[in-house]
Amino acid sequence: MEESSADLIRSQLRRLRTAAGLSQEEFGKLVHYSPSMVSAVETGSRPYDRQLLARADEVLRSGGLLVALLRIAEREGQPSWFLPWLDAERLASQLRIFQPTLIPALLQTEGYARAVIRCDDLLSDEEVDKRVAARMDRQAILTRPDPPQLIAVIDEAVLHRREERFHALMVHQVEHLIASAERPNVSIHVIPLSVGLHIGLSGPFSLARGAEGGWVASQEAQLTARPTDGESDVATLLARWETVRNDALSRQQSIELLKEVAKSWI
């Protein structure tokens, strides 16, 4: 398997620490992380963050190598602040995603992804192409030999954004959701319009469960996403997940609703 940017960053962090003659405990004290956290970051069971890498560059006198690798990864199509979440996403055994305004990225068709990314008129055509390619690459986790379980909750309103120039695009996108929902490792649940106001309208969020059972959460905003494994934040979002999941239709009911929506687009 090709080494990802995240794998490269972790391997370089481990190499630099070892070359400096520091144990994980000694290094952890210098960067203000516990030895167990250092080990988890190096082995990939926990995502790294920019603050850790910047501090590691300073302590290990690497000339800014680790942060530079983040910048390179950003040029490849992903902003550096998003890489820690991508790391958690790739390592997850289960993903729980709530999206009240868009189709979740892992379930987008290329056409839909391009239309969404193209909404940012500050991006060049080349930047749009890179971001679309990166988004499609992310979806490979769903078809690998050991895919995570993906449970996605979306608001029905997402399916009714009607504009003539996006007609064929939306038909294809809804059909793709139906096909995805029939995979054994993917569940899609729709909150019907009849629910009205609900807590999920406060914004999208994602939860990734690692192989060892710990959770990492992420809340998306216009300019950033904030991954965290803080106990309080994760507990709050797990509770909100239960609420939006309970408001949503069952898996089969959601598939039937998607089929009805697909017919309405034809």
Side-chain angles (χ1 to χ4, degrees):
M1 181 182 296
E2 184 180 354
E3 186 176 47
S4 69
S5 297
D7 290 331
L8 177 60
I9 289 169
R10 282 196 300 270
S11 66
Q12 289 303 307
L13 172 62
R14 186 166 52 250
R15 180 187 66 79
L16 289 167
R17 176 186 59 77
T18 302
L22 295 172
S23 67
Q24 290 178 337
E25 182 175 5
E26 291 167 335
F27 175 69
K29 288 179 180 178
L30 293 172
V31 295
H32 311 301
Y33 278 72
S34 68
S36 61
M37 179 62 76
V38 172
S39 175
V41 168
E42 288 188 353
T43 59
S45 59
R46 289 286 184 90
Y48 52 78
D49 58 40
R50 189 182 188 90
Q51 181 179 355
L52 169 62
L53 297 182
R55 182 65 179 145
D57 273 335
E58 180 181 343
V59 167
L60 300 173
R61 299 179 182 179
S62 67
L65 173 64
L66 299 173
V67 172
L69 288 173
L70 270 179
R71 294 196 185 102
I72 291 171
E74 183 174 16
R75 290 199 295 271
E76 291 174 351
Q78 297 291 1
S80 59
W81 51 259
F82 196 50
L83 290 175
W85 171 253
L86 292 182
D87 200 24
E89 185 179 84
R90 189 175 61 84
L91 296 166
S93 61
Q94 183 186 99
L95 292 163
R96 299 180 180 181
I97 298 172
F98 172 68
Q99 253 294 356
T101 55
L102 295 168
I103 303 299
L106 290 176
L107 296 171
Q108 292 177 5
T109 63
E110 183 174 346
Y112 185 94
R114 184 174 298 278
V116 170
I117 293 169
R118 183 72 276 178
C119 288
D120 185 348
D121 55 14
L122 297 178
L123 297 176
S124 67
D125 290 343
E126 182 181 3
E127 288 171 324
V128 170
D129 288 343
K130 286 182 178 180
R131 294 195 182 193
V132 171
R135 186 161 299 182
M136 294 300 99
D137 286 346
R138 283 174 64 190
Q139 298 180 5
I141 65 170
L142 298 179
T143 55
R144 70 191 185 194
D146 58 337
Q149 179 190 30
L150 171 63
I151 308 170
V153 175
I154 63 174
D155 197 286
E156 185 182 351
V158 173
L159 307 172
H160 296 289
R161 293 190 178 276
R162 295 182 180 272
E163 186 176 345
E164 188 60 33
R165 62 193 175 113
F166 295 135
H167 186 91
L169 181 153
M170 284 303 299
V171 171
H172 186 206
Q173 177 61 73
V174 176
E175 289 175 344
H176 179 68
L177 286 178
I178 295 169
S180 298
E182 292 173 346
R183 294 181 189 170
N185 63 309
V186 177
S187 297
I188 299 174
H189 302 272
V190 182
I191 298 178
L193 292 174
S194 59
V195 169
L197 295 176
H198 56 84
I199 187 63
L201 295 176
S202 298
F205 61 88
S206 302
L207 292 150
R209 185 177 184 179
E212 297 178 359
W215 289 95
V216 175
S218 179
Q219 292 178 278
E220 298 178 29
Q222 284 282 335
L223 298 178
T224 187
R226 185 174 64 88
T228 177
D229 58 2
E231 185 175 343
S232 177
D233 289 342
V234 168
T236 296
L237 290 179
L238 282 170
R240 291 193 178 187
W241 169 263
E242 293 300 324
T243 300
V244 297
R245 176 62 190 87
N246 287 336
D247 282 338
L249 300 173
S250 70
R251 183 177 187 176
Q252 190 56 47
Q253 288 173 324
S254 296
I255 291 175
E256 294 304 316
L257 175 58
L258 289 170
K259 290 178 178 179
E260 289 299 315
V261 170
K263 290 179 184 176
S264 75
W265 277 100
I266 296 174

